[in-house]
Amino acid sequence: MKPCQPGCYNSFWYLLLPAEKVRYKKYVEKWIALRGENPKKNPDAIFHLGDDPDKRVCWSASGKFPSFRRSMGLLYHVQSNTIVLPKERLAVVGWPTFPSLAIAAGISPFEFPDLRRGSRYAGNAYHIGVYGTWLFV
């Protein structure tokens, strides 16, 4: 991979399997048909390339992050051509895995014990705030 200038991203397109590339193209077609815009222009466009969009769509077209599953494969961020990393998935469900999130929460940054398996911990999980409220009650 070549180094990138600040603000740009290295494309992960070459890492996708042929079947994932076919699914990606189907998602793009469905996105354009539904929203009338190219998903590359939408910073919130995320596709789950493990699901065939002809059978089950798992994407962010509703404006919400796709729901997690424990055995979830690749989530692909369309605008940057990158995959959503385990650390980012954990952040979505409330773990302060980035310093800016920890500062906002008034705590030390959380070092997850095994970030390579972070997606498994985030899958099928409640948001940490919801779980904390439930535990408190």
Side-chain angles (χ1 to χ4, degrees), residues 4 13 22 25 28 34 41 45 52-53 55 79 91 110 116 120 122 131 134-135:
C4 230
W13 181 257
V22 168
K25 289 176 183 172
V28 169
L34 178 71
K41 295 183 180 193
D52 182 353
K55 296 179 182 169
Q79 190 177 53
F110 181 77
R116 285 185 295 163
R120 291 168 68 194
Y131 183 74
W134 174 84
L135 191 61

Side-chain angles (χ1 to χ4, degrees), residues 39-99:
K40 280 208 148 292
K41 295 183 180 193
N42 188 326
D44 297 328
I46 296 173
F47 302 156
H48 177 233
L49 299 180
D51 285 342
D52 182 353
D54 289 334
K55 296 179 182 169
R56 178 182 192 273
V57 292
C58 185
W59 59 356
S60 62
S62 66
K64 297 179 175 87
F65 206 88
S67 59
F68 290 144
R69 296 193 302 267
R70 203 175 110 239
S71 60
M72 186 169 237
L74 241 95
L75 283 173
Y76 200 74
H77 184 251
V78 179
Q79 190 177 53
S80 66
N81 272 332
T82 60
I83 58 173
V84 178
L85 301 172
K87 189 173 185 176
E88 294 167 329
R89 290 185 193 195
L90 288 166
V92 167
V93 292
W95 290 98
T97 53
F98 292 94

